[in-house]
Amino acid sequence: MPASTEASTTRVGADPVVPVVDSRLSPGGPGYRRMSFALFLAGVATFALLYSTQALLPLISGEFGVAASDASWTVAAATGGLALFVLPMSALSERFGRRTVMTASLAVAVTVGLLVPFAPSLPALVALRAVQGAALAGLPASATAYLAEEVRPRALITAIGLFVAGNSVGGMSGRVITGWVAQEWGWRVALGVIGVIAVGCAVAFRLLLPAPRHFVAGSLRPRVLAGTVRDHLANPLLRRLYAIGALFMTVFGGVYTVIGYRLTEAPFGLPQGIIGSIFLVYLVGTVSASTAGRLVGRLGRRGALYAAGATTAAGLVLSLADSLVLVLLGLVLITGGFFAGHAVASSAVSKTATEGRAQASALYQSAYYIGSSAGSTVGALAFHAGGWAGTVGVGLLAVFGVVTITLLGTRAARVQQRLLTA
């Protein structure tokens, strides 16, 4: 038999060569579709709940008699709660398992979602939304850690892109549904409908998600957790990725918190149902997130981030026009650029961290949702002070930060390459 046969061939006087089989999931393999659809549904539920009040802010302002900056706290409280609790929840997922924590998080979040429509006052609504955001903190970091452990490396960007695509579908459907339902029956009924949809997604998620096969339980000791976090924060690449995620989300949070107010005012004067339908542009995010892997393959990670930043900035500038068509085109570009940049940065975090992946992802998610809270609050304040141009100005500053950080990363990579070849 020729010497070039398969790895199972044996030689005289030598041990047999045992081929190593990668049992992780891959496209076309058993369980991959179930896993992808389950996490897609988890993403739908997460974003539908997390941003359920965003399209309804003008109605909430009207009922409680408050300004946009006050009503925006119903969004900022949810994203802020998630940002604060994502790291502790990731530690629980290291000990008790990704699927267990994701299931428990969804269960609590959808339960609170059924209570939110009955909030008697704005402070009560904000408090419930903060609890809901804290519960949802178990999803993002655990999901990306689950994928990093259960999916083959070559398919990781695509798999994370599909999860992010679920985020975009959830964000879109939640806003569109609430817009039309609220126009007929009010914002409380609209939030109730979103709560019921999220319950269905949560049940299907638990039934479909394959049991983890590569999870190894970690420690809950605070010293171990602190050491892992310290190591991640000491990594310059991870720090840059965390900052990029936060800045991209600052743009997105500000734009979509304020856009409803802008479109109800002159020269547009759109009704609530039509404003909710504007969020159909999230479909662009679904496409851009799911194709992020191909974008990185063509341009590289930093090239993809430059492209995402340039697309977002172009959308912001276009949205300044008083033409509804140009505003919509601007939102398309902002959404596509944001979701592409988010998918690239979050997948790079999972690839960069070889240990403590849940904590690495949790730190990214924490920075990301701090950016969302900051964008919602600062964007609303800028709108109050300077109109839509003020919100766009905040967004352009954030995009400038993304480009600057990416340039620093490019320079650092070139310096390292020169040292290696010297």
Side-chain angles (χ1 to χ4, degrees), residues 194-205:
I194 292 300
V196 171
I197 292 173
V199 169
C201 288
V203 172
F205 161 80

Side-chain angles (χ1 to χ4, degrees), residues 291-334:
T291 59
R294 291 199 293 271
L295 185 64
V296 172
R298 290 181 181 180
L299 303 178
R301 185 182 67 244
R302 286 185 291 273
L305 289 173
Y306 287 133
T311 302
T312 304
L316 286 166
V317 173
L318 270 180
S319 73
L320 287 167
D322 285 337
S323 163
L324 184 59
V325 172
L326 291 180
V327 170
L328 290 177
L329 180 57
L331 291 176
V332 166
L333 294 177
I334 292 167

